[in-house]
């Protein structure tokens, strides 16, 4: 069983995807093949992860037809600008070994050079019009970045992938996305970033509210958090290289959280960002060349 979400251009997407952020290139093919064998039909990667080749290899190795898998990747800031972003598409599909992407998104806003961000998005609009991608979107865009982009864009982004987990639920971003008909997709959906980043006192997996709800349902804390996202209409892209965890993260359709339980999890928000502040992203600090296909 799975849940699909319909993007604002009518494209359907499995709500639960498999993420490969920080998965080493040599482990990515195995992880993706395992995920597809387990039943995932949505894979999220990015040019900046440097593991798109492994995703493509895992897809081929799995034996699952390309048409059955929703494939999503991201353009890095170093490749922003109209022509550079068109070439970034060529690099990504070359590494992935596919002709078309289901979803292509801008990985970050680039506030210090928003002109390049706008040109990059214009390239995504061209790729969409040409049928080379089925949907386009953004990632880590705050409400002010969305407003600036929508001032010039002819296509409203289908999706905004942002950090969302019980300790950082970004209500203002969720509201801005909803206002514009943009689907929210959660990265670090089970608070994985809280496990290894400084500034967090303990991880979401050990939170007594979450573990208590998990015990009530005979489920794991991770399953409870993924259910929290899905019942609130979000897409989530958990990552793991552990086959048991990969299967566990997909097994979230046999139970339901109550409104009180959903509210209790939402109330855990600490307002502490784990990832980099989108306002601080510059080419000088975060730019790096993305290799050719």
């Amino acid at each position: 069983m799975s849940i699909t979400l319909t993007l604002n251009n009518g494209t359907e997407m499995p709500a639960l995807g498999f993420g490969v952020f920080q998965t080493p290139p040599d482990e990515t093919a195995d992880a993706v093949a395992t995920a597809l064998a387990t039943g995932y039909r949505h894979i999220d990667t990015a040019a900046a992860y440097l593991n798109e080749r492994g995703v493509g290899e895992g897809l081929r190795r799995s034996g699952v037809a390309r048409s059955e898998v929703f494939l999503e990747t991201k353009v890095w800031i170093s490749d922003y600008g109209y022509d550079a972003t068109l070439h970034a598409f060529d690099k990504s599909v070359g590494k992935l070994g596919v002709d078309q992407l289901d979803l292509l998104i801008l990985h970050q806003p680039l506030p210090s050079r928003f002109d390049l961000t706008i040109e990059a998005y214009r390239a995504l609009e061209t790729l969409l019009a040409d049928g080379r991608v089925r949907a386009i979107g953004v990632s880590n865009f705050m409400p002010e970045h969305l407003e600036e982009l929508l001032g010039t864009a002819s296509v409203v982004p289908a999706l905004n992938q942002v950090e969302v987990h019980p300790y950082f639920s970004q209500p203002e971003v969720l509201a801005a996305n909803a206002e514009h008909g943009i689907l929210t997709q959660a990265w670090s959906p089970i608070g994985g970033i809280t496990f290894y980043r400084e500034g967090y006192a303990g991880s979401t997996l050990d939170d007594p509210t979450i573990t208590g709800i998990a015990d009530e349902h005979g489920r794991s804390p991770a399953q409870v958090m993924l259910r929290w996202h899905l019942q609130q209409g979000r897409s989530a892209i958990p990552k793991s290289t552990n086959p048991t965890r990969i299967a566990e993260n997909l097994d979230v359709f046999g139970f339901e959280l109550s409104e009180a339980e959903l509210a209790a999890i939402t109330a855990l928000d600490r307002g502490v960002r784990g990832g980099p502040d989108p306002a601080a992203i510059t080419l000088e600090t975060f730019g790096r060349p993305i290799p050719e296909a």
Side-chain angles (χ1 to χ4, degrees), residues 166-229:
Y167 285 176
F168 190 62
S169 56
Q170 302 219 70
E172 299 84 4
V173 179
L174 301 188
N177 289 345
E179 179 189 341
H180 296 295
I182 299 168
L183 180 73
T184 298
Q185 183 176 66
W187 66 256
S188 195
I190 59 175
I193 202 158
T194 68
F195 312 164
Y196 57 83
R197 284 282 163 90
E198 292 179 10
Y200 286 99
S203 86
T204 48
L205 291 176
D206 301 321
D207 186 277
T209 297
I210 295 170
T211 58
I213 293 170
D215 290 344
E216 282 288 318
H217 291 274
R219 294 287 182 152
S220 72
Q223 289 173 320
V224 164
M225 286 184 269
L226 291 171
R227 191 73 211 169
W228 172 71
H229 289 290

Side-chain angles (χ1 to χ4, degrees), residues 1 47 78 112 114-115 169 182 188 201 212 216 225 237 241 246 285:
M1 163 146 189
S78 308
S112 59
F114 211 78
D115 58 318
S169 56
I182 299 168
S188 195
E216 282 288 318
M225 286 184 269
I237 45 170
T241 55
I246 289 172
T285 52

Side-chain angles (χ1 to χ4, degrees), residues 71-89:
L71 201 51
E72 167 182 2
T73 192
K74 310 176 194 72
V75 180
W76 188 238
I77 58 171
S78 308
D79 284 337
Y80 282 9
Y82 185 78
D83 290 334
T85 298
L86 291 178
H87 184 56
F89 167 84

Side-chain angles (χ1 to χ4, degrees), residues 18-282:
F18 181 72
V20 296
F21 173 58
Q22 290 188 331
T23 302
D26 57 341
E27 295 177 29
T28 301
D30 284 344
V32 168
T34 298
L36 291 169
T38 303
Y40 287 86
R41 290 297 181 266
H42 174 182
I43 308 293
D44 170 79
T45 183
Y49 299 170
L50 305 179
N51 59 14
E52 288 173 311
R53 256 186 246 286
V55 170
E57 174 58 32
L59 176 58
R60 287 185 292 277
R61 196 186 297 171
S62 74
V64 176
R66 166 69 186 98
S67 60
E68 290 184 29
V69 180
F70 190 94
L71 201 51
E72 167 182 2
T73 192
K74 310 176 194 72
V75 180
W76 188 238
I77 58 171
S78 308
D79 284 337
Y80 282 9
Y82 185 78
D83 290 334
T85 298
L86 291 178
H87 184 56
F89 167 84
D90 292 334
K91 291 195 284 189
S92 284
V93 294
K95 292 169 188 167
L96 289 162
V98 299
D99 299 320
Q100 184 192 52
L101 295 170
D102 297 292
L103 178 64
L104 183 59
I105 63 181
L106 301 183
H107 203 145
Q108 292 278 357
L110 189 55
S112 59
R113 288 297 310 273
F114 211 78
D115 58 318
L116 291 177
T117 309
I118 287 169
E119 286 300 295
Y121 193 77
R122 193 165 67 84
L124 298 194
E125 292 176 328
T126 296
L127 292 164
L128 179 68
D130 291 348
R132 287 181 281 179
V133 300
R134 296 175 61 222
I136 59 175
V138 296
S139 180
N140 299 305
F141 273 53
M142 298 298 101
E144 62 271 22
H145 305 133
L146 286 176
E147 288 301 328
E148 192 168 356
L149 182 70
L150 290 168
T152 61
S154 59
V155 176
V156 175
L159 177 147
N160 186 11
Q161 184 188 115
V162 290
E163 179 185 352
V164 184
H165 50 78
Y167 285 176
F168 190 62
S169 56
Q170 302 219 70
E172 299 84 4
V173 179
L174 301 188
N177 289 345
E179 179 189 341
H180 296 295
I182 299 168
L183 180 73
T184 298
Q185 183 176 66
W187 66 256
S188 195
I190 59 175
I193 202 158
T194 68
F195 312 164
Y196 57 83
R197 284 282 163 90
E198 292 179 10
Y200 286 99
S203 86
T204 48
L205 291 176
D206 301 321
D207 186 277
T209 297
I210 295 170
T211 58
I213 293 170
D215 290 344
E216 282 288 318
H217 291 274
R219 294 287 182 152
S220 72
Q223 289 173 320
V224 164
M225 286 184 269
L226 291 171
R227 191 73 211 169
W228 172 71
H229 289 290
L230 295 177
Q231 284 185 223
Q232 294 182 321
R234 289 188 292 278
S235 171
I237 45 170
K239 65 146 289 193
S240 180
T241 55
N242 178 311
T244 303
R245 294 270 187 274
I246 289 172
E248 178 187 290
N249 289 344
L250 189 63
D251 183 21
V252 294
F253 301 104
F255 72 107
E256 191 151 328
L257 302 178
S258 68
E259 289 300 319
E261 288 169 332
L262 293 171
I265 296 169
T266 300
L268 298 173
D269 183 26
R270 299 178 179 183
V272 178
R273 184 186 299 281
D277 185 341
I281 299 291
T282 67

